[in-house]
Amino acid sequence: MTEFLVQDQATGEGAGLIERYLEHVRVEKRLAQRTVELYALDLQKLSHHAGQAGVELLQVQNSHIRRWVAQMNSGGRSGRGIALILSGWRGFYVWLGREGLVGSNPVQDVRAPKAGKPLPKALSVDDAVQLASFANSSADPWLEARDAAIVELLYGAGLRVGELTGLDAVASSNARGWIDLQGAEAHVLGKGSKRRSVPVGAKAVLALRNWLALRDQALELPETGPSGPDGSVQAALFIGRNGTRLSAQSIWQRLRQRSQQAGLSTPVHPHMLRHSFASHLLQSSSDLRAVQELLGHVSITTTQVYTRLDFQHLAKAYDGAHPRAKIKAIEPK
C-alpha cells in the first residue's frame, strides 16, 4: 500500500528513504496501518513539492518548507490540515537526522497558520429524528435492518465510528466492545484504550434485536456461537454480506446514502450523529458533566464546544422569533 502511494512522486534515493522511514514507523514504532498510510500521503506531498522546486529530499531547506506552507494556505488548506502535514514531515526529518543523513531539521520551528476552531456540524432535532425514523420498504430487509440499527446506535448512544465497528454481539475475553441487550448498554473501547458503558435506548434495542435475528438467520450462524478463526467473523455485531466485520468506510458510505434517501439536504457522516447526540442532549439537560462521560472525553474542555453549539441554536431561535431581535438589528450604533 505505502509503496503505491509514494512511487509516483518520489524516485531514486528519495523513494528509498521514504520506504525505509515508513517501514521504521510500521515495524519499530508499531503504528497502526492507517497511520502509516497517512504518513505516506504526507510524504507524497513533500516529494511533490520538492520535485517541483527541483531539490532532493535531503537538500530541502527551512525556506522551502515555509514557502510550501504558504502555498498550501493560499490554496485553501486548513490550518489544522497543514499542521498535520508538517507533523508528518517533521517526524521524517527527525529520523533522517538520527540516521546521520541531514545536519538539521528543515521543518523545525515551522508552524501552520492559526485558524479559528470550527463548530462541529450537528443535525437539527427534526432532521436527526427524520433520519432515525426513516424506513426503506423497497430495500433488502437484511441491509435495512442493519443500517437502521447503525443509525440508532450512532445517534442514540453517541458512539464514534471506530467504537461502533469494534462492537461484538456478545461479551467475550477477546471483545473490544459488546452490546448487552438485556441491560440496554453498549460497552465500548474508546480513545486511549479507555472503556466506558453507554445506555442504549429502547428504540435502539428494538432495532438491534431485529438486526441480530436477520443477521444470524441469513448467515446460518448460531446467535451466540463461537467466533471465527480471526475472532471477528461470527462475533462482530455489524457485518457485511461476506460475514466479515463492517469497516468504518462502509459505514460512512451507507450512512451518506441513507441520509440522502431519507430526504436530508446535508449528507450525514457518523461523527455528525455523535455531535448531534451531544448537542441535543445538552439542549435538553444542560448537564455538561454527564455529556462528557457519555462521550468518553478525558477533559471537559473538549465537551464544552457543545455549549457553543447550544448557544448558536438559542441565538438562531431568538433572531427568528423574538420581536426585539429585528429592532436590535436596525438600531443605530
Side-chain angles (χ1 to χ4, degrees), residues 110-129:
V110 180
R111 297 290 180 266
K114 290 186 178 180
K117 290 185 178 180
L119 287 175
K121 293 181 180 179
L123 296 173
S124 67
V125 173
D126 289 343
D127 281 351
V129 172

Side-chain angles (χ1 to χ4, degrees), residues 282-297:
L282 193 58
Q283 288 174 23
S284 301
S285 70
S286 300
D287 191 337
L288 193 62
R289 287 289 182 187
V291 174
Q292 177 193 0
E293 291 185 18
L294 289 170
L295 291 175
H297 287 162

Side-chain angles (χ1 to χ4, degrees), residues 64-126:
H64 291 123
I65 300 295
R66 294 184 184 277
R67 186 192 315 151
W68 300 336
V69 166
Q71 290 173 357
M72 288 189 287
N73 185 41
S74 62
R77 190 176 291 275
S78 69
R80 175 175 170 78
I82 294 173
L84 290 172
I85 292 170
L86 285 175
S87 177
W89 294 358
R90 193 174 293 112
F92 175 58
Y93 279 103
V94 166
W95 175 78
L96 288 175
R98 289 173 180 167
E99 294 291 306
L101 297 173
V102 294
S104 61
N105 189 335
V107 195
Q108 192 68 31
D109 300 326
V110 180
R111 297 290 180 266
K114 290 186 178 180
K117 290 185 178 180
L119 287 175
K121 293 181 180 179
L123 296 173
S124 67
V125 173
D126 289 343

Side-chain angles (χ1 to χ4, degrees), residues 1 22 27 53 75 81 85 105-106 121 129 135 145 172 174 246 248 253 260 273 293 296 313 323 325 329 331:
M1 175 64 180
L22 294 176
V27 176
I85 292 170
N105 189 335
K121 293 181 180 179
V129 172
S172 72
N174 297 324
L246 206 60
Q253 293 171 346
Q260 292 172 335
L273 290 183
E293 291 185 18
H313 163 77
E331 283 180 346

Side-chain angles (χ1 to χ4, degrees), residues 11 13 31 36 44 52 80 89 99 111 129 141 148 162 165 177 182 190 195 259 270 281 287 298 301 306 311 317 330:
T11 58
E13 185 181 15
L31 297 185
V36 176
Q44 181 184 35
Q52 286 191 325
R80 175 175 170 78
W89 294 358
E99 294 291 306
R111 297 290 180 266
V129 172
T165 59
Q182 186 172 359
R195 294 193 176 274
S259 64
L281 192 61
D287 191 337
V298 175
T301 304
Y306 295 105
F311 178 79
I330 60 175

Side-chain angles (χ1 to χ4, degrees), residues 128-148:
V129 172
Q130 180 177 332
L131 177 60
S133 303
F134 172 71
N136 189 351
S137 58
S138 62
D140 180 335
W142 195 87
L143 292 176
E144 174 63 19
R146 185 195 67 186
D147 293 352

Side-chain angles (χ1 to χ4, degrees), residues 248-269:
Q249 183 179 8
S250 295
I251 291 176
W252 273 70
Q253 293 171 346
R254 297 296 300 179
L255 187 56
R256 180 185 180 90
Q257 178 182 343
R258 190 172 183 84
S259 64
Q260 292 172 335
Q261 292 172 341
L264 272 63
S265 59
T266 302
V268 176
H269 56 76

